[in-house]
Amino acid sequence: MTISDIREQKISEDDMKALEKLEKGPWPSHVTELKKTRYPIEYYAWGVMHKYSPWYSGSFRVRYVFSGILARRSRDGKVSEVHFRTYSPAGRFLSTAYLKKIAYVAEQYGIGLLEFAGNTGAIVINIQPDKADQAIDIIRNVMGSDVGGSGDTFREFYACPGPALCEFALYDTLAAMDFFRSHPEIYKFLNTQLFPYKLKMKFSGCPFDCAGANARSDFTFIGTWVGAPEVDQEKLREMIKSGKVDPKELAKRCPSGAISWDDDKQQLKIDGDRCLKAMNCIKMAFPAIKPGKNRKIAMLVGSHAQAHYGPRLSWGVALLDDYKEALPFILKVIDIYSNNAPRRHRLADLILRRGFRLISDAAKETLPDKPKAAPSSHLRFTTGVVLSDDERVTYAEWAKSLVKDYYGGEQ
Amino acid sequence: MAETFVPDPSERINKRLPMPYAAQFPDIIKRNYGKWVDRKFHGNGIIEHISESGESIFTVKVGLPPNSRISVDTLKKIIDVADSYGLKVVRATRGMNVEFITDSLDKAKKIVDVMKGYGFPAGGWENSLWHITSCTAYLTCSTFAVDAPSITKALYDYFMPYFTGEEKLPSKLDIFVSGCTNICAGTLAGDIVVVGHWGQAPKPDPEKIKFCLPTSAEALKKVTPDVAAVCPVNAIKLYAKEDGSVGIEVDDKRCIACGRCKNVCDYFDWDPDKIGVGVFVGGKTSNTGSGPRLAYRIVPWVPLNPPEYREVVAVVRKIVDVWKKNAEPGERIGDTIDRIGLEEFMRQVGVPKSRHNACIEVSWNFGVRQFIKYV
């Protein structure tokens, strides 16, 4: 079957029937949810079963709104779809009063469908195209938020729950996110498309990095500390006595071997110089072992999943005492990025083209007294591959043999 | 709700930011903000945070449909449960699930029961499957290669006992499923990352590709159009045709199927039988063990058979089985691979080796470890 043949095929009953299989199984189904709304589910069924997109990207304009609206249209031209990304409060704590307003917007102006926890940090609401203009006003004035965070601008920021709900938070991630998002110098970019490509900021309270900041934000803030973790020897002895903690295991699991257990004195020693802040010991013996008192914020730049030269992790820049200190550096980097990056290059792509010097010079100028990092980076990394026919057969056969192992002979 | 105001559209130029985060908090969080000192787990899906004042708060994690795509009907149920048994606030998690917040263990258990009744299981945390995060793919996107939500559904259906705690894992497990190489499920630094890709060079749509090209070849002398400029390996060549229009050619040998061209131009096509998913294993963002890193491409291509995706589920099952067999308690996949070696791990998975999964072990420092020599 050629591609044009596939495209000609009409949406059929069979597709819908096959989709019913996705409603079975123990996990809650997205198809069941879609069926409760006015979503054009036939197109979804056709696309999934034919492994071919029934959609083209579209554009949709609402007066004075330049980010936060996404649209697409079907190949046959019959259906168009619009959805809004809306800003959420930092940490994505949502009161039921706020959720009721979201429900109202999704019902009255949308099709009754939403993405509750979008990956950028936004809540995504499907909207009826002819009511989009009104919907903006309702979202702004009734719901108390706004659409935004798409295109070549600042995407929605993201912060881990931090001090609101976590013992490990080493700085106030939520306040940091609010500070940057509402700072006039950052805020002025929110409704524009002025950057070569998107910019993101993410805030993690401790080296566990629950916000995934290390791997997906142009400006990364991670709470850390200097020296060894704090050990409450008395409490630790108690935990060891009750069998909750094995001190030998603690020492063994430390990746840099900084921990030693003195059996005579019944004391745990941690060498602060060798401590990698891996938090293995803290995880096992909390609250007897806690992050150290000399708290810092590690600022890193340039990680992302999607870019010209493939995914990568953040480069370290400097250790800060307060997140506010980062502002001049960030503005400087935005300036460098806007002026030098080719279109659709992320910040890290620019660093790869021009060298890390670009960032370290900016850091030297704007953060003169702060300790700097020894940055490291990946080699180039690709996610897609072009396979030859033989390779395709090899992997298909292998997958088939696994299916046979796990599901038995029936296909 | 009253709609009596007359808004001025030009005001939209100034984005209205949502209310400060603190306005959404219940009193107990306001009182104990930053004062939590201990935590306790009460089975899978319930965590207790204890404040220095002695007050405690309970968080219940409940799984949502793939891509957290819910109808208003379901949203109203969530609101109801949060109003009746919770503190009138929920949290949307990074793993696309929802957390209810309440003030007693009884209420937390009640929330688990009620949500289970609606068909939404509670689970996650500690040594279990925390989440399977999915991008939106066919649901709202237009650049995808494969449908991530339905693959996520197939994976969740099998791995649900690992989420609810009926089956144990050596450590935390995060799974990400993305519909294309843009990896919108969030990150390539996950324990298991399933990434859809074309597996072939794109073919320009002969009729419609002209919408992505300049009308006259003269323009090529001044600027390279986006569709060619975005290619990281220069596989897309634009040339002047005899009639003065612009022709396009994609070099199959150079192409790495990264999908960048598809991002800027809709009119590329692919053969549905050649698309598939790659499976990446052993990444993480957390600094535990050997630190943050991107995942290794262990399986470059798995065929797709919707709607059950048995091949994909079988491959992921195999990887989890090999991990379970080799892991020491508390070891995430990346750390297990570090200890037993990538070669050995791949040998046990049994995946055929080719030029596409000849991975190089990464041993240098990422994340906050880049600062260690100064501290």
Side-chain angles (χ1 to χ4, degrees):
Chain A
M1 204 188 296
T2 66
I3 290 165
S4 49
D5 287 342
I6 291 168
R7 248 196 248 161
E8 292 304 312
Q9 288 195 0
K10 293 279 174 294
I11 297 163
S12 73
E13 287 287 304
D14 294 352
D15 299 335
M16 289 301 286
K17 212 161 251 159
L19 209 60
E20 276 170 22
K21 280 191 183 159
L22 286 172
E23 291 193 75
K24 296 182 184 125
W27 193 263
S29 165
H30 57 295
V31 176
T32 312
E33 298 294 328
L34 294 180
K35 283 189 175 170
K36 288 184 198 165
T37 68
R38 283 159 278 162
Y39 186 82
I41 193 154
E42 308 80 29
Y43 287 86
Y44 180 66
W46 187 92
V48 169
M49 294 318 293
H50 289 81
K51 300 192 273 184
Y52 191 77
S53 169
W55 301 99
Y56 282 139
S57 63
S59 68
F60 191 85
R61 286 205 177 171
V62 173
R63 289 171 298 166
Y64 301 106
V65 180
F66 305 116
S67 84
I69 301 176
L70 298 124
R72 61 177 187 174
R73 64 208 152 95
S74 63
R75 280 183 195 272
D76 59 15
K78 285 181 189 157
V79 184
S80 68
E81 227 200 9
V82 176
H83 56 279
F84 286 178
R85 288 186 185 164
T86 60
Y87 296 120
S88 333
R92 298 205 283 189
F93 285 88
L94 309 165
S95 65
T96 50
Y98 185 68
L99 287 176
K100 277 172 194 160
K101 291 176 194 163
I102 292 178
Y104 171 77
V105 172
E107 222 164 33
Q108 299 297 319
Y109 299 89
I111 59 170
L113 183 68
L114 63 133
E115 188 183 1
F116 187 68
N119 249 322
T120 50
I123 289 179
V124 184
I125 310 173
N126 295 53
I127 295 287
Q128 298 170 38
D130 53 337
K131 290 188 182 169
D133 198 273
Q134 278 170 290
I136 298 265
D137 288 332
I138 297 295
I139 287 172
R140 283 171 58 85
N141 297 297
V142 178
M143 202 171 110
S145 182
D146 208 336
V147 300
S150 72
D152 303 336
T153 177
F154 271 112
R155 298 297 175 95
E156 172 70 317
F157 299 173
Y158 184 85
C160 77
L165 216 52
C166 185
E167 301 80 24
F168 299 138
L170 296 172
Y171 72 102
D172 193 339
T173 53
L174 306 180
M177 173 170 158
D178 259 22
F179 170 77
F180 285 111
R181 188 166 59 180
S182 58
H183 193 282
E185 291 292 328
I186 305 278
Y187 174 85
K188 71 179 183 193
F189 291 113
L190 292 183
N191 197 23
T192 62
Q193 302 279 336
L194 292 175
F195 300 145
Y197 204 5
K198 57 192 167 189
L199 278 177
K200 297 184 178 185
M201 273 195 212
K202 291 193 164 54
F203 305 87
S204 277
C206 77
F208 280 144
D209 195 5
C210 291
N214 244 323
R216 48 183 207 141
S217 59
D218 297 278
F219 297 104
T220 306
F221 295 84
I222 300 175
T224 183
W225 69 93
V226 175
E230 201 183 304
V231 186
D232 183 340
Q233 301 286 356
E234 193 58 41
K235 210 175 237 171
L236 185 67
R237 277 194 283 273
E238 260 170 49
M239 285 180 95
I240 292 169
K241 224 174 247 168
S242 67
K244 273 187 202 152
V245 179
D246 176 4
K248 300 224 168 62
E249 189 69 21
L250 274 181
K252 191 183 145 203
R253 290 277 301 284
C254 178
S256 60
I259 298 181
S260 57
W261 170 248
D262 189 334
D263 223 9
D264 300 331
K265 285 189 199 155
Q266 293 280 304
Q267 252 184 7
L268 193 80
K269 275 193 199 132
I270 304 180
D271 180 354
D273 289 341
R274 275 155 79 194
C275 175
L276 288 175
K277 324 291 177 256
M279 307 222 359
N280 284 22
C281 55
I282 295 171
K283 201 170 161 190
M284 289 163 79
F286 191 78
I289 308 181
K290 281 192 270 191
K293 279 259 159 61
N294 187 3
R295 293 170 175 188
K296 301 276 179 190
I297 301 166
M299 185 177 59
L300 306 91
V301 296
S303 60
H304 46 64
Q306 176 195 6
H308 197 73
Y309 298 119
R312 60 189 55 252
L313 295 168
S314 291
W315 279 275
V317 177
L319 275 187
L320 311 177
D321 297 301
D322 188 345
Y323 51 81
K324 288 176 188 158
E325 295 167 355
L327 196 70
F329 171 77
I330 289 172
L331 297 179
K332 176 97 191 163
V333 172
I334 291 173
D335 213 34
I336 294 171
Y337 175 59
S338 305
N339 288 333
N340 295 295
R343 244 175 69 67
R344 299 196 76 85
H345 277 50
R346 295 288 293 271
L347 180 57
D349 297 326
L350 178 70
I351 297 172
L352 283 176
R353 282 186 161 221
R354 302 279 293 270
F356 191 74
R357 193 73 192 272
L358 220 54
I359 300 296
S360 57
D361 281 355
K364 235 179 253 167
E365 193 189 315
T366 52
L367 301 164
D369 312 325
K370 300 293 162 192
K372 306 290 187 301
S376 58
S377 175
H378 286 275
L379 300 174
R380 185 158 155 171
F381 205 98
T382 62
T383 37
V385 292
V386 177
L387 295 112
S388 69
D389 289 340
D390 293 347
E391 285 164 346
R392 203 169 292 119
V393 172
T394 314
Y395 286 107
E397 290 289 324
W398 175 67
K400 215 171 167 186
S401 74
L402 284 185
V403 170
K404 215 172 165 190
D405 289 352
Y406 283 119
Y407 291 88
E410 37 108 27
Q411 269 289 333
Chain B
M1 266 170 243
E3 291 164 40
T4 47
F5 58 89
V6 187
D8 174 5
S10 68
E11 275 171 21
R12 295 171 184 166
I13 230 108
N14 298 315
K15 291 283 184 202
R16 181 162 297 189
L17 293 176
M19 63 190 81
Y21 58 92
Q24 305 271 357
F25 289 159
D27 289 341
I28 183 166
I29 291 187
K30 278 182 196 156
R31 277 200 301 276
N32 297 299
Y33 192 77
K35 292 180 188 160
W36 307 106
V37 290
D38 200 3
R39 58 169 62 180
K40 269 187 207 149
F41 292 94
H42 299 272
N44 268 44
I46 303 180
I47 187 173
E48 178 186 4
H49 296 279
I50 302 161
S51 155
E52 62 184 22
S53 68
E55 281 184 300
S56 53
I57 195 166
F58 294 80
T59 313
V60 184
K61 178 145 83 180
V62 173
L64 290 181
N67 193 235
S68 67
R69 194 60 63 165
I70 55 172
S71 60
V72 168
D73 186 45
T74 305
L75 180 64
K76 283 182 176 161
K77 282 178 189 159
I78 291 173
I79 294 171
D80 250 12
V81 172
D83 276 345
S84 323
Y85 309 108
L87 297 174
K88 298 186 198 288
V89 63
V90 300
R91 204 178 82 80
T93 72
R94 144 135 168 65
M96 299 200 144
N97 293 320
V98 57
E99 283 174 12
F100 291 91
I101 296 165
T102 186
D103 53 5
S104 81
L105 186 57
D106 290 342
K107 282 186 191 164
K109 285 184 172 156
K110 187 79 193 165
I111 291 173
V112 172
D113 287 345
V114 174
M115 287 310 285
K116 208 179 198 174
Y118 291 141
F120 298 93
W125 288 320
E126 284 210 287
N127 300 336
S128 65
L129 172 68
W130 283 36
H131 57 82
I132 303 180
T133 303
S134 162
C135 79
T136 115
Y138 282 61
L139 289 175
T140 47
C141 175
S142 60
T143 57
F144 49 80
V146 308
D147 185 45
S150 49
I151 296 176
T152 306
K153 167 80 170 121
L155 287 171
Y156 256 142
D157 279 345
Y158 173 75
F159 283 101
M160 187 161 139
Y162 294 96
F163 179 79
T164 55
E166 287 154 46
E167 299 256 5
K168 288 283 170 230
L169 286 170
S171 176
K172 170 184 179 173
L173 176 67
D174 284 352
I175 302 180
F176 297 85
V177 186
S178 297
C180 76
T181 48
N182 288 342
I183 321 185
C184 294
T187 170
L188 197 65
D191 292 308
I192 299 178
V193 186
V194 178
V195 180
H197 63 79
W198 284 269
Q200 61 196 305
K203 287 169 206 65
D205 184 325
E207 293 158 31
K208 291 192 164 158
I209 192 69
K210 64 179 180 212
F211 295 121
C212 298
L213 301 173
T215 45
S216 150
E218 282 298 302
L220 292 181
K221 288 175 189 162
K222 292 188 185 115
V223 66
T224 315
D226 266 1
V227 63
V230 294
C231 183
V233 290
N234 290 331
I236 296 181
K237 292 271 179 301
L238 302 183
Y239 57 91
K241 282 192 193 164
E242 271 175 22
D243 59 358
S245 64
V246 179
I248 182 168
E249 216 166 59
V250 182
D251 185 345
D252 285 23
K253 294 232 158 51
R254 278 192 166 193
C255 177
I256 54 170
C258 68
R260 302 282 299 158
C261 48
K262 176 74 182 161
N263 282 352
V264 294
C265 176
D266 258 342
Y267 307 109
F268 285 104
D269 263 327
W270 61 91
D271 178 352
D273 292 329
K274 289 183 181 173
I275 65 168
V277 297
V279 182
F280 296 71
V281 181
K284 62 177 187 296
T285 55
S286 164
N287 194 31
T288 53
S290 44
R293 66 173 51 179
L294 295 179
Y296 298 114
R297 177 159 57 213
I298 287 195
V299 186
W301 190 78
V302 184
L304 297 173
N305 275 318
E308 284 179 305
Y309 300 101
R310 284 187 170 181
E311 286 81 0
V312 183
V313 178
V315 168
V316 177
R317 268 173 84 170
K318 181 77 189 174
I319 288 163
V320 172
D321 283 351
V322 171
W323 172 48
K324 273 166 71 181
K325 206 178 113 206
N326 289 285
E328 288 180 357
E331 224 177 30
R332 285 179 72 172
I333 297 187
D335 298 332
T336 306
I337 292 178
D338 270 357
R339 192 168 46 76
I340 70 171
L342 188 57
E343 283 289 318
E344 174 62 16
F345 190 86
M346 284 173 76
R347 193 190 62 75
Q348 291 195 26
V349 173
V351 57
K353 285 234 171 180
S354 69
R355 63 198 163 115
H356 303 303
N357 57 357
C359 312
I360 304 158
E361 285 185 63
V362 178
S363 58
W364 57 87
N365 288 335
F366 293 109
V368 297
R369 287 177 192 209
Q370 297 169 55
F371 295 91
I372 295 303
K373 74 169 187 172
Y374 292 95
V375 294

